[in-house]
Amino acid sequence: MGKQWQLLVSLFVLIAVFSSAKANTTAMGLTLGKTTLQQFIKAYPTAQHEGRSKWSDGDIFSIPNNELGLEGAKNNAVIFNKSGRITAIMLELDKHRFDEVESMLEHKYVAVKKQISFAGDKYAKYQNENDLIELDAPYLSSVMKLTYSEQLFQEAWLKKSAEEFSRR
């Protein structure tokens, strides 16, 4: 009987490990590449339309910070692609929560890069299949930026930023 329980527990652990490794990238109940504009508006009816993204050619919305359910939320943007699906979620949070947020990300995603100094800038980058998650807390800032984005959005952002820089 003891070996059966051990085998059963091991099976559950393996299922949990493999299912979490293949899990979608989700923040605030919104899933990159999956959540549609209609689903978003139903979940956040008071969200404000902020314009169109020059990186994804999709709509940009902001959610009232008090509706996010996140302590220390200062600013946010939810960016859609041309197909009307979420391609990026950007949040600004109080920087004092860096360790807590970084620990949560560490347990959920694969770390790609970490530069966390005791006194100075703090940065961590994670990957979940084709999605990137970045946590950036500049030393002299009171806020940190947490960005969830599809790799296609990141590539478009880098390309357009380089084009703008070369025009200067």
Side-chain angles (χ1 to χ4, degrees):
M1 186 74 168
K3 285 190 178 207
Q4 288 175 337
W5 278 107
Q6 214 172 20
L7 182 61
L8 189 59
V9 169
S10 297
L11 181 62
F12 281 125
V13 169
L14 283 173
I15 290 170
V17 167
F18 285 112
S19 65
S20 67
K22 298 289 184 187
N24 294 319
T25 305
T26 301
M28 306 174 318
L30 306 171
T31 303
L32 295 182
K34 302 266 189 230
T35 303
T36 65
L37 182 56
Q38 293 78 17
Q39 291 168 327
F40 170 77
I41 291 171
K42 186 175 180 181
Y44 294 99
T46 60
Q48 296 293 310
H49 186 261
E50 302 290 347
R52 295 205 43 95
S53 168
K54 62 183 174 182
W55 304 294
S56 70
D57 293 323
D59 291 309
I60 301 173
F61 284 84
S62 65
I63 302 167
N65 290 329
N66 62 346
E67 292 183 23
L68 292 175
L70 295 173
E71 179 187 333
K74 301 294 182 190
N75 201 359
N76 67 83
V78 179
I79 303 172
F80 291 82
N81 60 24
K82 285 187 227 180
S83 303
R85 296 190 183 275
I86 293 179
T87 190
I89 301 167
M90 300 177 173
L91 302 161
E92 283 186 351
L93 305 165
D94 283 335
K95 188 167 81 172
H96 76 275
R97 295 194 58 212
F98 183 90
D99 293 335
E100 173 191 352
V101 174
E102 192 275 329
S103 176
M104 182 266 309
L105 295 172
E106 179 75 38
H107 287 91
K108 196 170 180 184
Y109 304 112
V110 176
V112 175
K113 181 178 182 181
K114 287 173 103 176
Q115 293 178 319
I116 302 173
S117 63
F118 179 71
D121 295 343
K122 295 181 178 185
Y123 177 82
K125 183 176 185 176
Y126 299 90
Q127 187 161 5
N128 186 32
E129 294 190 11
N130 290 324
D131 299 332
L132 300 173
I133 302 93
E134 292 182 279
L135 183 61
D136 187 16
Y139 178 65
L140 295 176
S141 177
S142 62
V143 296
M144 63 181 175
K145 293 181 181 173
L146 174 58
T147 304
Y148 296 82
S149 62
E150 291 182 305
Q151 192 163 347
L152 289 173
F153 177 84
Q154 283 282 326
E155 291 167 1
W157 181 82
L158 289 171
K159 181 181 177 188
K160 298 237 180 185
S161 296
E163 288 172 359
E164 289 174 6
F165 183 76
S166 67
R167 282 189 225 137
R168 292 181 189 168

